[in-house]
Amino acid sequence: MTKAEGGRLTTHVLDTATGKPAEGLVVSLFRIDGDARTLLKTVATNSDGRCDAPLLAGDEFRAGEYELIFAAGDYLRGLGTELPKPAFLDIVPIRFGMAEPTHYHVPLLISPFGYSTYRGS
């Protein structure tokens, strides 16, 4: 992995079932290196469904493969949503690569029975 100056990684989670930001959803960030998976940090989203700071920025940012793990089931159960057992969606993993020192934004749109993501801005 090479160091990439000026890059940053952010995320944003919207609850499409309620039409609101997903506040309090736990997100874990892992760096992937071959078969190795290293936890870099775990945070919870704020009232706007965002993290209070970039997940990676400055000296922390490195080009490479990463994985965001969203604890969607815990978030939905915390709202009082009745989920089947096992839940259709519980843990939502998104694996992606960052190749250059720029802003990578990985949003998640979530509901009890579906999700989508894209490279945002």
Side-chain angles (χ1 to χ4, degrees):
M1 278 180 270
T2 59
K3 186 173 178 180
E5 296 295 314
R8 66 186 169 121
L9 171 63
T10 58
T11 191
H12 186 198
V13 186
L14 297 173
D15 182 334
T16 59
T18 64
K20 297 178 181 178
E23 181 178 5
L25 194 146
V26 174
V27 181
S28 296
L29 173 65
F30 293 84
R31 186 179 347 261
I32 308 298
D33 187 17
D35 290 336
R37 190 170 169 250
T38 305
L39 176 64
L40 300 179
K41 63 178 63 173
T42 298
V43 298
T45 56
N46 62 23
S47 62
D48 194 34
R50 300 176 187 274
C51 303
D52 289 332
L55 295 168
L56 293 175
D59 290 340
E60 292 180 317
F61 186 96
R62 302 237 188 298
E65 292 184 65
Y66 292 84
E67 186 174 50
L68 286 170
I69 301 292
F70 296 87
D74 288 345
Y75 161 77
L76 292 164
R77 283 186 284 274
L79 293 178
T81 305
E82 287 193 38
L83 300 176
K85 293 181 183 178
F88 180 70
L89 294 175
D90 195 8
I91 301 297
V92 175
I94 300 174
R95 192 169 282 198
F96 57 97
M98 299 189 298
E100 54 191 58
T102 189
H103 181 197
Y104 288 84
H105 184 64
V106 182
L108 179 69
L109 306 175
I110 189 76
S111 79
F113 297 102
Y115 72 91
S116 67
T117 190
Y118 54 93
R119 182 172 172 190
S121 59

